[in-house]
């Protein structure tokens, strides 16, 4: 089963993670956000890690990242985050 990191910590991010796990699509191993947006350490028992530190915590060749970033300026923000995720 694929290991998945959810980029984002919103209610939408949590819902997506729940659906993915309920359908056995992947194993959600963590949530992540950019360092300046980290306000808590766990969601639903899963660690929230700083995006900039993912390489030092996980083997990025064996993980996937799902971008669940939000609604305001949605396309521009999603594009920027997607480009960052691809670079990992």
């Amino acid at each position: 089963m694929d290991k998945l990191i959810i980029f984002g910590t919103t209610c939408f991010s949590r819902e997506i993670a729940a659906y993915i796990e309920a359908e056995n699509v992947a194993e959600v191993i963590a949530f992540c956000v950019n360092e300046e947006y980290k306000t808590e350490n766990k969601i639903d028992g899963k660690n929230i890690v700083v995006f900039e530190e993912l390489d030092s915590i996980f083997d990025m060749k064996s993980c996937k990242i799902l971008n669940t970033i939000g609604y305001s300026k949605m396309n521009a923000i999603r594009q920027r985050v997607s480009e960052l995720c691809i670079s990992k």
Side-chain angles (χ1 to χ4, degrees), residues 6-25:
I6 303 286
F7 194 113
T9 57
T10 64
C11 292
F12 178 67
S13 305
R14 294 172 185 195
E15 280 186 54
I16 292 296
Y19 290 136
I20 287 169
E21 290 197 317
E23 295 294 325
N24 290 320
V25 173

Side-chain angles (χ1 to χ4, degrees), residues 12-86:
F12 178 67
S13 305
R14 294 172 185 195
E15 280 186 54
I16 292 296
Y19 290 136
I20 287 169
E21 290 197 317
E23 295 294 325
N24 290 320
V25 173
E27 175 189 3
V28 177
I29 58 172
F31 290 83
C32 73
V33 290
N34 292 105
E35 187 170 18
E36 65 266 25
Y37 297 107
K38 187 174 179 198
T39 60
E40 55 191 327
N41 293 318
K42 289 191 180 263
I43 293 177
D44 300 331
K46 300 196 184 314
N47 289 332
I48 301 171
V49 297
V50 174
F51 176 78
E52 294 82 358
E53 298 174 3
L54 283 180
D55 291 30
S56 64
I57 299 170
F58 299 104
D59 174 9
M60 295 312 296
K61 292 180 183 175
S62 66
C63 300
K64 294 181 179 183
I65 302 174
L66 177 61
N67 180 3
T68 63
I69 295 299
Y71 302 102
S72 65
K73 301 179 187 173
M74 182 183 339
N75 289 336
I77 293 171
R78 281 190 178 160
Q79 180 177 352
R80 182 177 59 80
V81 169
S82 292
E83 289 168 358
L84 287 172
C85 291
I86 289 168

